[in-house]
Amino acid sequence: MKLSSVKMIQALMLCGFISTAAWSQEVKKETKVFETKMDKFSSKTGTISKFVDFRLPDLKTGYTNAETRIRKLMSGTESLYFYQIEKKGQYSNTTASIEYSDLLEVIKALKTLTQDVEKDIAGNPDYLENKFVTTDGFQLGYYVEKGRSTWYVKLEKYGTDNTLFIKDRTVIESAFGEARAKIEDLRK
């Protein structure tokens, strides 16, 4: 082989490599869409899903009232129960759907937060936040500022205008206790 033939073969191979690299595309990983327990349960394919709502008294907040209910979701032979809190907005509504087992955890967390709040106020911080977050993104907590605590619930993991401020912690305790009792009654 002559030197020019070798160079020509090398040039062709280089062109082939460059064109392959230029035309190849990076495979993008699919981003996972966040799915709540309610989303997963109600979107099962191949089964009939049904839900039934049972209204509860409104949750009294600092600025407005939020509607509450128990939603029984049935898919095939399975049933799940959710405590729902819905905040009406000007353009859309924000809803928390707290599955029964998560509700029990939220109630336990509320007891712990209640024990901590006075100590946190006494610490006189410039700002302090103490909260519990469920796997679905529902938050319950308080913040301390200027020697006072303010309780809140954040209904959804993402979005805006999804926080309810509650003046009296006992309002939350009462609402969650009532929701637990209603679900336990429905499960009988």
Side-chain angles (χ1 to χ4, degrees):
M1 255 190 184
K2 294 183 178 178
L3 186 61
S4 63
S5 298
V6 172
K7 285 187 178 185
M8 185 181 246
I9 292 172
Q10 288 176 338
L12 286 173
M13 287 176 60
L14 182 62
C15 287
F17 175 73
I18 290 173
S19 65
T20 302
W23 288 103
S24 69
Q25 294 180 354
E26 181 181 327
V27 177
K28 293 183 180 180
K29 293 181 181 177
E30 289 185 32
T31 55
K32 273 194 163 183
V33 176
F34 177 73
E35 272 192 312
T36 63
K37 288 181 180 182
M38 180 174 265
D39 294 335
K40 289 175 190 172
F41 189 76
S42 63
S43 63
K44 291 180 182 178
T45 57
T47 62
I48 295 174
S49 296
K50 180 193 274 189
F51 69 85
V52 181
D53 288 343
F54 303 91
R55 289 204 29 88
L56 293 172
D58 288 352
L59 179 64
K60 310 249 186 274
T61 69
Y63 304 104
T64 184
N65 290 339
E67 291 180 8
T68 65
R69 64 185 161 264
I70 300 301
R71 175 162 286 179
K72 179 181 180 181
L73 245 175
M74 297 160 284
S75 181
T77 59
E78 294 180 81
S79 294
L80 284 181
Y81 296 86
F82 295 85
Y83 176 48
Q84 292 192 311
I85 305 169
E86 183 175 17
K87 178 184 180 187
K88 303 277 186 191
Q90 185 174 359
Y91 301 108
S92 65
N93 299 340
T94 306
T95 306
S97 296
I98 309 163
E99 195 269 329
Y100 176 66
S101 64
D102 288 340
L103 178 63
L104 297 177
E105 292 302 312
V106 168
I107 291 169
K108 280 192 238 178
L110 179 57
K111 289 178 183 175
T112 302
L113 291 168
T114 299
Q115 294 168 356
D116 292 350
V117 70
E118 292 306 320
K119 289 182 274 186
D120 289 341
I121 292 170
N124 199 26
D126 290 329
Y127 182 82
L128 177 145
E129 191 168 338
N130 195 359
K131 64 184 175 183
F132 176 79
V133 183
T134 68
T135 55
D136 286 346
F138 174 79
Q139 294 181 24
L140 163 70
Y142 61 86
Y143 64 88
V144 175
E145 192 173 43
K146 298 179 184 173
R148 292 186 6 210
S149 65
T150 302
W151 289 85
Y152 69 88
V153 293
K154 186 173 178 185
L155 302 177
E156 294 178 351
K157 188 172 192 168
Y158 303 108
T160 58
D161 196 30
N162 59 2
T163 304
L164 298 170
F165 297 97
I166 294 135
K167 292 181 180 181
D168 185 0
R169 167 192 45 82
T170 60
V171 169
I172 302 170
E173 288 173 342
S174 176
F176 289 171
E178 201 169 329
R180 182 188 71 220
K182 182 66 174 178
I183 291 172
E184 288 170 356
D185 185 49
L186 292 169
R187 290 177 65 177
K188 292 180 184 177

